[in-house]
């Protein structure tokens, strides 16, 4: 059973990769750009999934970490002329430290209280950006003139070039996050989502793991912010509002909280479907709201739900053999 | 002194509106442990319904201003209450036994749905209330202030006092309090919890809708997205006072209104909206039970 799921997953990823590689041959620039934003949202949704899906922490302010990363990259690039891709580690570290600092006092809060606090944090960050905090963020207009990324001396500027850059990052992320899911860290997060008291009793330092989940998720969102800044060359506070956090939250929940393929499907659907139904521009949000309500009644676990890891016969036998 | 007085009274007016909305959050949370994210949108519906009824029936021409406003308030509150009950039946009742997160997502979906339905009907632009109220000022404690400001505070405080008496003194009110403490035990005592939930979804939205009408009349300008920011602030007020606690919502609302008005006046107007969120975060860190409420934080 498990082996079959793994094979199916591998086939799915292979097909998706083939589609992305071949996409510039049959899609126009507009749809390539849609694919680029799908890639960015997949990254963001996966990073939120660490916090919301794996650790079960209701974070509805994820756009704040995204913003911190994007602004870090933009400020380093425009003020200190650091090549944009070289700011990736800086964005990751700044976003992670920021997340750890703001999450430290609130991670112990009960589910929906944490939700509200993170909404508040997200809004405070947005207002701070609009008010040109420390004179660095450029106020409501944001920061412009961010330079294009260079990869091995090759300047990336056209949609299909960004397509490869962004989706390469997605591929690395998916690989790493699958490994993380299987690791001690990933299993500890799942444990504390299912039962924090039992997890604590089994020696999982819940406060520390929650903070780590926040920091790691924020680091990834921060790096995605760098990619976003590089792609847009202009960033402004309105790209990081409450609605952005809600959309990310929905991608995780509707796709299948805690499940990597589920979250990817969620992100793809939430970005692509509104593009397909562009003709019904004003009614599509109405339908979106309705779908959310119906989904929670019909399929609350999401489209491709997460399945708990189970020990198989072969695992037991292998364990017996090695001891 | 002059400015201080104006800011405090202005803060009290805004705060009493927050308090009215907060009551809806706090009552629903008290009984269902659910953050009704669509509550802010019910408030917006109150504002829009009030505008439509005011312009289409021209009640103030037929009935005289005072009676017209009372009739208008009753109609708006009644209609919003109906929407509230439908909302509960459609979006929350099927999820009563589901995990919390499902209900939260459903509430968000309901909020998006209600907001966009309103936008489809009225369009995305600001709407302006007809000018029916006298722009007179009254003298209060030796200072001049708009009569509407005083009216908003008085109306809200009267409604809140009535609600408090209703919840404390009547049989239905006792049932609401019992269901809030322990649904199972309340059911064993012969209380129909579903009926209590319906009553809560009549009272909360009615008060929220009434607050919407007051905002329309007081500020004259409404937009279909205003429910979000008012809702968040009202929710902050509810937490500030202690969620699930009715006098707490009133105290929290008034306090938040004054803090916000003074912060905007003396610190920075640009950060006005951030004060409420800052208060929210601080109160949850320092005293998550709120000023008058139960204890909520988990142990780390």
């Amino acid at each position: 059973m498990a082996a079959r799921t793994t094979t199916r997953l591998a086939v799915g990823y292979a097909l998706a990769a083939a589609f992305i590689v071949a996409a510039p041959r049959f899609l126009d620039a507009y749809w390539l750009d849609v694919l680029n934003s799908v890639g960015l949202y997949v990254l963001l949704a996966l990073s939120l999934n660490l916090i919301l899906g794996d650790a079960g922490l209701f974070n509805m302010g994820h756009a704040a970490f995204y913003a911190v990363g994007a602004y870090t990259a933009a400020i380093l690039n425009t003020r200190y002329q650091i090549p944009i891709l070289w700011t990736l580690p800086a964005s990751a570290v700044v976003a992670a430290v920021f997340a750890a600092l703001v999450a430290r006092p609130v991670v112990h809060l009960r589910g929906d209280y944490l939700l509200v606090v993170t909404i508040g944090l997200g809004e405070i960050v947005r207002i701070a950006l609009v008010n040109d905090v420390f004179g660095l963020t450029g106020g409501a207009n944001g920061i412009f003139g961010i330079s294009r990324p260079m990869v091995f001396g090759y300047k990336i500027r056209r949609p299909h070039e960004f397509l490869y850059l962004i989706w390469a990052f997605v591929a690395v992320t998916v690989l790493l996050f699958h490994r993380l899911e299987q690791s001690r860290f990933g299993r500890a997060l799942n444990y504390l989502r299912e039962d924090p008291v039992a997890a604590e009793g089994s020696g999982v330092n819940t406060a520390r793991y929650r903070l780590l989940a926040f920091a790691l998720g924020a680091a990834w969102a921060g790096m995605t912010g760098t990619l976003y800044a590089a792609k847009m060359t202009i960033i402004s506070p309105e790209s990081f509002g409450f609605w952005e956090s809600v959309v990310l939250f929905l991608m995780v929940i509707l796709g299948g909280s805690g499940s990597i393929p589920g979250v990817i499907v969620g992100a793809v659907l939430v970005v692509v479907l509104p593009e397909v139904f562009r003709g019904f521009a004003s009614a599509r949000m109405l339908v979106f709201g309705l779908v959310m309500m119906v989904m929670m009644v019909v399929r609350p676990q999401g489209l491709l739900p997460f399945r708990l890891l189970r020990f198989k016969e072969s695992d037991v036998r292998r364990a017996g053999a090695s001891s | 002194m002059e400015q201080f007085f104006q800011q405090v009274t202005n803060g009290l007016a805004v705060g009493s509106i927050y308090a009215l909305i907060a009551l809806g959050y706090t009552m629903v949370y008290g009984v269902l442990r659910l953050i009704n994210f669509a509550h802010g949108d019910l408030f917006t519906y109150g504002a829009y319904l009030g505008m439509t009824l005011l312009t289409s029936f021209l009640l103030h021409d037929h009935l005289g201003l005072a009676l017209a406003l009372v009739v208008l308030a009753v109609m708006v509150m009644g209609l919003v209450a109906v929407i509230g009950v439908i909302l509960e039946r459609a979006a929350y009742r099927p999820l009563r036994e589901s995990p919390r997160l499902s209900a939260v997502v459903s509430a968000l979906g309901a909020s998006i749905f209600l907001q966009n339905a309103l936008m489809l009907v009225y369009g995305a632009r600001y709407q302006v209330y007809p000018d029916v109220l006298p722009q007179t000022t009254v003298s209060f404690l030796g200072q001049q202030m708009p009569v509407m400001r005083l009216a908003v505070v008085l109306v809200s405080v009267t409604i809140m006092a009535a609600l408090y008496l209703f919840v404390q003194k009547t049989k239905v009110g006792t049932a609401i309090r019992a269901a809030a403490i322990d649904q199972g035990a309340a059911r064993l005592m012969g209380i129909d919890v579903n009926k209590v939930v319906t009553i809560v979804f009549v009272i909360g939205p009615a008060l929220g809708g009434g607050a919407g009408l007051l905002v329309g009349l007081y500020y004259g300008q409404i937009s279909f997205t205003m429910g979000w920011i008012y809702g968040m602030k009202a929710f902050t007020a509810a937490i500030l006072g202690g969620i699930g606690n009715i006098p707490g919502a009133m105290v929290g609302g008034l306090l938040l209104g004054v803090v916000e008005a003074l912060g905007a006046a003396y610190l920075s107007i640009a950060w006005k909206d951030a004060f409420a969120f800052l208060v929210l975060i601080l109160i949850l860190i320092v005293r998550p039970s709120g000023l008058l409420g139960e204890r909520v934080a988990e142990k780390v």
Side-chain angles (χ1 to χ4, degrees):
Chain A
M1 175 60 209
R4 221 169 64 207
T5 329
T6 320
T7 324
R8 250 191 308 184
L9 200 59
V11 170
Y13 284 143
L15 287 177
F19 175 77
I20 295 294
V21 170
R25 296 194 152 274
F26 55 88
L27 290 179
D28 59 15
Y30 177 80
W31 280 99
L32 286 179
D33 210 47
V34 171
L35 266 188
N36 285 339
S37 56
V38 170
L40 291 175
Y41 276 109
V42 166
L43 289 171
L44 288 172
L46 284 174
S47 70
L48 177 61
N49 184 42
L50 273 181
I51 304 169
L52 171 63
D54 291 335
L57 300 166
F58 299 176
N59 169 15
M60 207 180 271
H62 203 57
F65 306 141
Y66 181 36
V68 168
Y71 271 88
T72 304
I75 290 167
L76 287 178
N77 181 259
T78 54
R79 292 196 179 233
Y80 304 102
Q81 280 72 45
I82 297 172
I84 188 82
L85 288 183
W86 286 99
T87 65
L88 273 172
S91 294
V93 169
V94 173
V97 169
F98 174 76
L101 286 179
V102 296
R104 181 64 199 88
V106 295
V107 276
H108 61 287
L109 288 170
R110 208 161 66 183
D112 32 11
Y113 279 76
L114 186 63
L115 186 94
V116 173
V117 167
T118 49
I119 293 176
L121 282 174
E123 273 304 291
I124 290 177
V125 168
R126 192 187 59 80
I127 294 168
L129 293 176
V130 171
N131 285 328
D132 199 3
V133 69
F134 312 131
L136 283 172
T137 68
N141 296 326
I143 299 177
F144 42 87
I146 300 159
S147 65
R148 296 288 190 186
M150 304 281 285
V151 177
F152 300 122
Y154 184 76
K155 194 174 222 175
I156 292 184
R157 58 160 71 87
R158 282 186 306 185
H160 72 267
E161 295 161 348
F162 272 107
L163 182 81
Y164 292 134
L165 177 69
I166 289 171
W167 283 90
F169 199 76
V170 173
V172 173
T173 304
V174 169
L175 187 72
L176 285 178
F177 280 17
H178 267 296
R179 299 308 301 154
L180 194 70
E181 195 176 51
Q182 310 278 333
S183 71
R184 183 191 178 86
F185 176 71
R187 278 178 292 139
L189 290 188
N190 287 341
Y191 196 0
L192 83 89
R193 174 193 62 202
E194 297 297 325
D195 190 338
V197 178
E200 183 91 63
S202 316
V204 175
N205 185 338
T206 51
R208 194 167 141 252
Y209 273 96
R210 283 174 172 170
L211 270 187
L212 279 175
F214 256 104
L216 195 57
W220 236 265
M223 289 195 282
T224 313
T226 302
L227 290 179
Y228 176 79
K231 173 172 168 285
M232 302 306 289
T233 69
I234 298 175
I235 54 171
S236 68
E238 71 210 67
S239 313
F240 309 101
F242 170 65
W243 180 243
E244 207 67 11
S245 296
V246 172
V247 166
L248 296 175
F249 198 87
L250 294 177
M251 288 169 175
V252 174
I253 300 293
L254 298 181
S257 162
S259 142
I260 291 172
V263 170
I264 296 173
V265 169
V268 171
L269 290 181
V270 172
V271 181
V272 173
L273 284 185
E275 292 294 335
V276 175
F277 295 107
R278 230 165 216 293
F280 311 89
S282 44
R284 62 190 177 174
M285 291 313 300
L286 195 76
V287 177
F288 193 41
L290 209 58
V291 168
M292 285 166 69
M293 289 189 270
V294 174
M295 270 288 283
M296 286 305 108
V297 177
V298 182
R299 202 174 163 82
Q301 72 273 41
L303 292 170
L304 293 179
F306 166 80
R307 287 195 193 80
L308 275 178
L309 290 175
R310 293 195 195 289
F311 279 108
K312 302 175 294 272
E313 280 292 315
S314 57
D315 291 325
V316 179
R317 247 180 286 129
R318 206 172 54 217
S322 63
S323 64
Chain B
M1 184 58 210
E2 163 83 40
Q3 195 204 1
F4 181 76
F5 173 83
Q6 293 296 342
Q7 290 305 335
V8 168
T9 53
N10 186 32
L12 285 174
V14 179
S16 54
I17 288 168
Y18 291 157
L20 277 181
I21 310 171
L23 287 170
Y25 279 109
T26 224
M27 288 180 77
V28 168
Y29 195 91
V31 175
L32 289 181
R33 300 284 179 272
L34 164 76
I35 300 175
N36 179 10
F37 274 103
H39 189 61
D41 299 291
L42 295 175
F43 155 84
T44 319
Y45 273 63
Y48 273 80
L49 283 171
M51 183 191 68
T52 305
L53 294 173
L54 202 58
T55 42
S56 51
F57 290 151
L58 296 173
L59 286 170
H60 46 287
D61 288 349
H62 304 299
L63 299 174
L65 190 58
L67 187 59
L69 287 179
V70 172
V71 173
L72 184 68
V74 170
M75 284 165 79
V76 166
M77 291 169 87
L79 285 171
V80 178
V82 170
I83 301 173
V85 171
I86 295 173
L87 172 73
E88 193 268 326
R89 285 287 154 84
Y92 302 148
R93 189 162 296 186
L95 297 167
R96 195 75 66 73
E97 306 303 324
S98 308
R100 268 234 184 89
L101 194 55
S102 304
V104 167
V105 174
S106 186
L108 277 170
S111 167
I112 294 171
F113 178 84
L114 288 173
Q115 213 177 86
N116 283 280
L118 203 61
M119 192 195 73
L120 284 180
V121 175
Y122 288 93
R125 296 182 45 174
Y126 275 94
Q127 300 284 329
V128 180
Y129 254 63
D131 235 351
V132 292
L133 293 168
Q135 297 295 323
T136 47
T137 58
V138 286
S139 179
F140 184 74
L141 296 177
Q143 304 276 350
Q144 292 291 315
M145 68 175 191
V147 69
M148 260 311 280
R149 195 181 284 173
L150 194 62
V152 167
V153 177
L154 287 180
V155 168
S156 314
V157 170
T158 312
I159 293 176
M160 288 187 274
L163 178 73
Y164 183 70
L165 286 178
F166 171 76
V167 170
Q168 292 297 326
K169 302 287 179 197
T170 65
K171 210 167 168 185
V172 179
T174 314
I176 294 176
R177 281 184 292 139
I181 294 168
D182 186 334
Q183 281 198 20
R187 207 171 273 128
L188 291 176
M189 297 300 122
I191 293 170
D192 183 347
V193 173
N194 277 334
K195 212 155 116 195
V196 168
V197 172
T198 306
I199 291 168
V200 165
F201 269 92
V202 167
I203 297 175
L207 296 180
L213 178 62
L214 280 178
V215 164
L217 289 169
Y218 184 49
Y219 290 107
Q221 205 180 43
I222 55 177
S223 81
F224 76 102
T225 52
M226 69 177 183
W228 186 72
I229 194 80
Y230 272 96
M232 281 310 299
K233 286 180 181 169
F235 186 75
T236 302
I239 289 187
L240 184 59
I243 192 126
N245 183 314
I246 290 173
M250 305 178 199
V251 173
L254 293 174
L255 200 61
L256 186 67
V258 172
V259 166
E260 200 182 73
L262 291 179
Y266 293 104
L267 294 173
S268 162
I269 182 94
W271 290 80
K272 176 168 170 274
D273 287 341
F275 292 130
F277 295 114
L278 213 57
V279 167
L280 174 70
I281 292 169
L282 287 181
I283 195 89
L284 281 174
I285 294 171
V286 179
R287 194 180 155 82
S289 51
L291 298 176
L292 312 172
E294 45 146 10
R295 221 185 122 67
V296 291
E298 274 176 3
K299 277 170 84 177
V300 176

